[in-house]
Amino acid sequence: MVQHSLRVYHGEPQEQHEHKQTIRVTAPLLREVHQFLETSLGSSVLLVIGGIDPYVRSIDVLPARAGKGHAAEYVRQKLKFQQEYTVVAGDSGNDEGMLLKPDASWHAIVVSNAVPDLMEKVTAHLQRQALGAVNNSGRMILSTKPRSAGVVEGLHQLGYLR
């Protein structure tokens, strides 16, 4: 019989602080715990699923305005880049807010080695976009190559590289 457990993990001091707590949970309970946290905490926090271990995964609990989506938007505005000329790329749960930012019209590249959780959300996003239920106008590139080769492939598809 498989035993499922939940425990709050307080890792290295430089990784855990008042603005970030990590909850480690056995993989079979991941969705249930995530749903519970989402329902209980609402929009006051950002929940980021992490880890690729098939048995134990993590959920980072962060302030709502944390994350790469807000960071990318801040940098874009500071550098005065137009959204349609901005490209983001990622492969894991901590990239979700940047890749699937609802009000963004920048382009996103998801490399082939992206974690399954992210790929599920990207696929659902593309289906909603095809139905007109998503407002962003940027292109989502699903690369056939992993890591940096996937980013280069995406930049070729977007016409930024020859």
Side-chain angles (χ1 to χ4, degrees), residues 86-87 107-109 139 141 153-161:
T86 303
V87 179
H107 305 296
I109 301 169
R139 285 184 59 196
I141 305 293
E153 177 189 14
L155 291 172
H156 275 286
Q157 288 184 35
L158 289 167
Y160 290 112
L161 297 177

Side-chain angles (χ1 to χ4, degrees), residues 2 4 13 16 27 30 37 41 43 56 58 60 66 75 85-86 115 117 128-129 136 148 152 157-158:
V2 178
H4 304 295
Q16 305 297 307
L30 180 68
L37 292 170
L41 302 173
S43 61
V56 179
S58 63
D60 289 337
V75 170
Y85 298 116
T86 303
V115 296
D117 292 336
R128 286 191 312 277
Q129 192 173 37
N136 62 352
S148 59
V152 170
Q157 288 184 35
L158 289 167

Side-chain angles (χ1 to χ4, degrees), residues 6 15 78 94 146 159 161:
L6 169 68
E15 295 176 10
K78 274 296 213 198
N94 66 352
L161 297 177

Side-chain angles (χ1 to χ4, degrees), residues 24-106:
R24 306 237 340 158
V25 59
T26 55
L29 290 177
L30 180 68
R31 291 192 194 282
E32 185 178 342
V33 171
H34 185 271
Q35 178 80 32
F36 171 78
L37 292 170
E38 203 168 50
T39 302
S40 301
L41 302 173
S43 61
S44 65
V45 298
L46 172 66
L47 300 173
V48 177
I49 295 174
I52 58 172
D53 184 315
Y55 303 106
V56 179
R57 302 291 301 279
S58 63
I59 301 172
D60 289 337
V61 182
L62 305 164
R65 292 206 31 92
K68 291 184 180 182
H70 292 292
E73 180 60 19
Y74 174 81
V75 170
R76 185 196 68 74
Q77 287 180 8
K78 274 296 213 198
L79 297 175
K80 297 181 172 59
F81 289 170
Q82 294 177 1
Q83 279 202 29
E84 59 270 18
Y85 298 116
T86 303
V87 179
V88 298
D91 66 356
S92 63
N94 66 352
D95 299 317
E96 178 186 335
M98 172 180 67
L99 296 168
L100 303 176
K101 189 166 174 31
D103 55 348
S105 58
W106 55 46

